[in-house]
Amino acid sequence: KGEWPKTIVPGESFIVRGIFKKPRSAKAAGLFDYGKYLAEKQIHLIGSVHSALLIHEIDSVPDQGAFAHFSFFIEKTRTVISDYLSATLPETHAALYQAVLLGDRSKISKDLLDAFKRSGVAHILAISGMHMALLGFFLFSLFYYLSRLSTRLMLTTNARKLSMILCVGPLLFYTLLAGSNTPVIRSLIMSLMFILAFCVNRPKSHMTILAAAALIILIIDPLSLKSASFQLSFAAVASIVLISPRILSFMPSHQAKFETQRLHNLLIRRTVELIVITISATIGTMPLLVYHFNQLSTVTLPANIIVEPLICFWALPCGFLAVPLMFIHPPLAEAVLRFGTWSLDIVTNYIVYLSTIPMSVLWVPDIHLAAMILYYVSLLLIISSTSKQIRVYAILTITVTLVYFVFPISGLNNKLRTSDSVSFIDVGQGSSSLLQLAGGRIVLIDAGATTTPGFNCGEKIIAPYLWSQGIGRIDDIILTHADADHYNGISALLERFRPSRLWIPKNQSDKPGYHSLISNALKHRVTINYPQDGIFISDTFSKLSVINDPIHEVKQGKSFEISGTDNNDNSLIVSLKTRYFTILFPGDISASKERTLIKEERALDHDILLSPHHGSSTSNSPEFLKTVNPRYMIVSARTGDNKLFPSATTRASAERLGITILTTGHNGNVTVIGENGGFKIKTSAKRE
């Protein structure tokens, strides 16, 4: 969590004492499998260091060769540039310059990065073909100007070809400096092939060059084919090459001969071309954006029209000019950078404004692979077919497919659901349960986990799982307990799934995170209720009831008073009863609360029990387990060396009573499915 020691720079050797473990692999549908991703890169362990005191430099190490020294030189240069930007510019400006010059988006605040994503212009922050084209143009102009100063060179060589060849070295160096990711390598290969074609007087086919770039990348790294970066990068360029000319050919303003000496005519033409390029790239990448990120920006066109020129033709040239000046004349470099920050201010204010517009982004469930294939086949037919009838059918097909992307049929399937299912989601050390009830009601009970800073289980785990189930809207979210490992993922779900109601326990917490959750719920116009002792959600075939709290509806406004004490025994105890099974969700209640419920002779008998307090020994008393008498007990907890969840005592009590324990950390998602007058249990890790 601390700062990296400033004395250790790329190329220095050091020894570190850390704690290593195997990365956790996803066991549920729709989740990014971090363990598999690292294994593909030959990384099998991840580690953490608790203090900078455990990091020590090594004075002497064996020589590592010329290649290692060169790679360290690249990294040192990258570090020097990054440090100069951080020391010279305000934090936001420095972070944006580090992104557009070095491809490092780690310093951009999460809110600002989300604003770029919501506005559909996050690609501007990645090194791409535009960077290479601009840098190549500047380098060629410089070399061509210098070559014309020499009469001998002008008489003995082709100054244009010589200038092109001289661009190769700087472009290679910049590729390494920018991190050598897929879009950068693709841009480099296309630039080199363009230069080669120019120098040997061969015609330049954009699609041939693009295909060659893809082939070379796949030969080097075949697994990059399935990465979002590879797919989006090549789909965007291919769409621009194939679609833009056809759209422009139908525009009278583009067919007309502009008088280029008139500035307003030139601006109109360039604006039209920018709009068409943006539309073309959006058409080509839309299914991939939905497939990988489950979102579509509705403001991408106005965002790109303003942001692309400001970044690419103002901030970026200033950055390119400032980089060499950092090593030659730092004060001049600072002046150039600060001139470029004017455009960054305009961009950030504009992007933040667009991102706050209601419905600026549409969150949609997963789409089927067959729909993507149908979309792209139809698109190719529209572009390439000479038959008017085939084009008409292709346009109708692609229109239907687009409607499916935004309003997937899976949502209708949920409404037509005739059986009930409950999924205990593997969120790690936390709790989240998804109820998909007959008739289409979707209810989420809790959504939280103990995680590292910057990782939100609602955004990274729960939302992808819901989308994989075809869920685009939640009816109710029930929070059983005001602990972060029960609620810290809810805020991320409020906008993505637009729940109608949030049910919370009456006795609350004064934790800042909990206040933030309530504020976000009010901001998104979610009705907040305290459920009463008894049934509070009732459908034809299922009922949700609370065993322990009176009702009160929170007045909707900008804020409301939070009062009461926060302890585990304030948890809502929720009972679900369907035609096929019953489940008890007791939150984090302690053994003391369990005894009180037994003494009050509450109706505790259920088929399935979500283990109180994640299977802790402070809960799950033998008397309580005997009274509930479940066939299955689900423990929502991370497994590993920690034996507290579930505890040995809890395991022993369950074994004596003949209760089958399933743990999300071991079994993955545990799903209860009602059928044939009873139910069955499925797990994502293995079948029980």
Side-chain angles (χ1 to χ4, degrees):
K1 296 182 181 180
E3 292 290 330
W4 181 259
K6 297 294 184 183
T7 57
I8 302 180
V9 298
E12 300 288 340
S13 295
F14 61 93
I15 187 168
V16 58
R17 179 180 178 183
I19 298 175
F20 292 86
K21 62 181 179 181
K22 289 184 178 181
R24 189 168 184 262
S25 295
K27 298 186 181 74
L31 303 188
F32 174 64
D33 195 330
Y34 186 52
K36 184 179 179 181
Y37 167 79
L38 292 179
E40 291 171 352
K41 297 181 176 296
Q42 301 301 310
I43 298 171
H44 303 285
L45 291 175
I46 58 176
S48 58
V49 186
H50 288 266
S51 170
L53 297 175
L54 301 176
I55 304 172
H56 294 279
E57 294 180 66
I58 299 176
D59 294 332
S60 60
V61 293
D63 185 59
Q64 296 177 318
F67 179 79
H69 283 296
F70 177 71
S71 65
F72 292 146
F73 171 72
I74 295 291
E75 289 300 326
K76 285 180 180 178
T77 305
R78 181 184 177 91
T79 303
V80 169
I81 296 172
S82 181
D83 290 345
Y84 179 87
L85 293 171
S86 297
T88 305
L89 301 176
E91 184 177 355
T92 300
H93 295 157
L96 289 172
Y97 262 127
Q98 287 164 353
V100 299
L101 290 176
L102 303 174
D104 178 13
R105 302 196 301 188
S106 62
K107 304 293 179 61
I108 301 178
S109 69
K110 185 180 184 302
D111 290 340
L112 183 57
L113 189 57
D114 285 343
F116 272 88
K117 291 177 180 178
R118 289 174 59 91
S119 303
V121 290
H123 62 278
I124 298 291
L125 302 177
I127 310 296
S128 62
M130 180 61 72
H131 293 71
M132 285 294 184
L134 283 173
L135 182 59
F137 173 76
F138 293 145
L139 290 170
F140 174 80
S141 300
L142 175 63
F143 292 140
Y144 188 55
Y145 171 77
L146 294 176
S147 65
R148 287 190 298 172
L149 296 179
S150 170
T151 305
R152 183 175 180 179
L153 282 177
M154 291 294 293
L155 294 174
T156 58
T157 63
N158 185 317
R160 290 180 180 272
K161 292 182 179 180
L162 177 62
S163 301
M164 281 281 193
I165 294 171
L166 291 175
C167 291
V168 172
L171 290 177
L172 283 169
F173 182 81
Y174 182 66
T175 299
L176 297 173
L177 192 66
S180 304
N181 55 39
T182 297
V184 183
I185 294 176
R186 186 260 305 162
S187 303
L188 173 67
I189 294 173
M190 292 188 69
S191 300
L192 295 180
M193 296 189 71
F194 178 87
I195 292 172
L196 177 63
F198 180 83
C199 291
V200 298
N201 300 315
R202 297 281 294 180
K204 298 173 285 296
S205 169
H206 293 94
M207 286 306 298
T208 301
I209 292 174
L210 184 65
L215 179 61
I216 293 171
I217 291 175
L218 292 176
I219 289 174
I220 297 171
D221 181 15
L223 293 177
S224 64
L225 177 63
K226 64 179 185 179
S227 70
S229 175
F230 180 92
Q231 294 171 13
L232 289 169
S233 177
F234 282 92
V237 177
S239 302
I240 292 171
V241 172
L242 294 175
I243 300 175
S244 296
R246 285 162 177 76
I247 297 177
L248 290 171
S249 66
F250 292 104
M251 293 186 174
S253 59
H254 191 267
Q255 294 172 345
K257 293 183 178 179
F258 282 85
E259 298 179 28
T260 55
Q261 66 270 24
R262 294 185 180 180
L263 181 60
H264 71 278
N265 284 338
L266 183 62
L267 289 175
I268 292 173
R269 179 171 184 144
R270 293 294 177 254
T271 302
V272 169
E273 290 176 349
L274 180 58
I275 293 172
V276 170
I277 287 172
T278 301
I279 293 173
S280 302
T282 302
I283 291 172
T285 58
M286 184 184 298
L288 294 172
L289 288 170
V290 175
Y291 180 79
H292 288 289
F293 306 111
N294 297 96
Q295 69 179 68
L296 288 172
S297 173
T298 60
V299 295
T300 183
L301 187 59
N304 277 278
I305 291 173
I306 300 298
V307 172
E308 283 204 34
L310 287 174
I311 294 290
C312 297
F313 301 116
W314 187 345
L316 192 56
C318 289
F320 282 149
L321 180 59
V323 168
L325 291 175
M326 293 177 190
F327 303 92
I328 301 171
H329 197 289
L332 183 57
E334 180 181 352
V336 174
L337 287 170
R338 291 193 178 277
F339 177 72
T341 59
W342 296 351
S343 66
L344 297 181
D345 285 331
I346 297 173
V347 165
T348 52
N349 291 332
Y350 182 58
I351 288 300
V352 169
Y353 167 73
L354 289 180
S355 67
T356 58
I357 296 176
M359 303 297 290
S360 61
V361 63
L362 300 177
W363 299 94
V364 293
D366 289 354
I367 59 173
H368 198 278
L369 183 60
M372 291 181 59
I373 295 173
L374 185 62
Y375 178 93
Y376 281 115
V377 169
S378 301
L379 185 60
L380 288 174
L381 288 174
I382 293 172
I383 295 172
S384 60
S385 178
T386 56
S387 170
K388 185 177 180 181
Q389 186 176 13
I390 291 177
R391 284 186 175 181
V392 170
Y393 284 131
I395 291 172
L396 290 174
T397 303
I398 210 168
T399 302
V400 172
T401 309
L402 285 172
V403 173
Y404 167 75
F405 289 164
V406 181
F407 306 104
I409 197 171
S410 54
L412 178 61
N413 290 339
N414 286 327
K415 295 296 182 184
L416 299 177
R417 177 183 293 274
T418 57
S419 64
D420 307 285
S421 71
V422 175
S423 296
F424 301 91
I425 305 173
D426 177 18
V427 293
Q429 190 62 40
S431 183
S432 185
S433 305
L434 171 66
L435 283 57
Q436 300 181 72
L437 304 178
R441 181 180 291 274
I442 304 296
V443 181
L444 194 68
I445 300 180
D446 291 333
T450 301
T451 57
T452 56
F455 183 92
N456 186 286
C457 70
E459 176 184 345
K460 302 295 186 181
I461 298 177
I462 301 171
Y465 178 72
L466 297 182
W467 285 323
S468 73
Q469 299 297 302
I471 296 173
R473 180 79 183 268
I474 297 175
D475 296 297
D476 297 270
I477 296 180
I478 302 170
L479 174 60
T480 64
H481 183 49
D483 266 355
D485 63 347
H486 286 250
Y487 72 75
N488 61 12
I490 294 179
S491 288
L493 304 175
L494 293 176
E495 179 190 19
R496 289 165 172 79
F497 296 94
R498 295 164 290 130
S500 301
R501 294 176 294 187
L502 173 64
W503 302 86
I504 60 176
K506 184 178 181 181
N507 291 316
Q508 298 304 316
S509 165
D510 58 359
K511 298 172 184 175
Y514 189 78
H515 279 263
S516 177
L517 165 63
I518 300 301
S519 297
N520 284 333
L522 295 173
K523 173 185 174 183
H524 288 95
R525 301 179 182 276
V526 178
T527 301
I528 303 175
N529 289 336
Y530 299 141
Q532 67 177 347
D533 188 3
I535 297 172
F536 66 102
I537 295 177
S538 178
D539 287 331
T540 304
F541 303 112
S542 58
K543 292 177 175 57
L544 279 160
S545 58
V546 166
I547 293 177
N548 59 338
D549 265 336
I551 192 170
H552 178 72
E553 181 172 339
V554 177
K555 292 182 179 180
Q556 299 302 296
K558 294 184 178 179
S559 63
F560 72 94
E561 201 69 29
I562 293 179
S563 60
T565 58
D566 172 36
N567 62 65
N568 290 341
D569 286 341
N570 288 332
S571 300
L572 288 179
I573 303 170
V574 180
S575 170
L576 169 66
K577 294 189 176 182
T578 73
R579 293 169 294 170
Y580 307 106
F581 55 79
T582 57
I583 303 180
L584 186 64
F585 303 86
D588 280 356
I589 63 172
S590 69
S592 174
K593 182 70 172 183
E594 293 172 355
R595 288 191 291 270
T596 300
L597 293 172
I598 296 171
K599 185 178 179 180
E600 293 176 355
E601 297 183 349
R602 296 285 189 164
L604 297 177
D605 186 78
H606 287 74
D607 298 317
I608 298 164
L609 170 67
L610 177 60
S611 180
H613 206 180
H614 318 284
S616 169
S617 61
T618 59
S619 306
N620 302 280
S621 62
E623 298 82 6
F624 181 71
L625 297 184
K626 184 177 180 180
T627 304
V628 177
N629 191 31
R631 291 169 55 188
Y632 291 90
M633 182 164 67
I634 314 299
V635 178
S636 182
R638 179 176 59 240
T639 57
D641 295 333
N642 188 346
K643 301 299 183 183
L644 297 176
F645 306 104
S647 69
T649 304
T650 300
R651 288 184 180 275
S653 298
E655 185 177 352
R656 283 196 304 270
L657 295 168
I659 302 170
T660 301
I661 291 182
L662 297 174
T663 306
T664 57
H666 176 70
N667 300 105
N669 285 5
V670 179
T671 303
V672 183
I673 303 170
E675 61 175 14
N676 301 325
F679 64 91
K680 65 179 179 180
I681 301 281
K682 286 186 175 181
T683 64
S684 60
K686 65 178 182 179
R687 188 177 297 275
E688 295 293 323

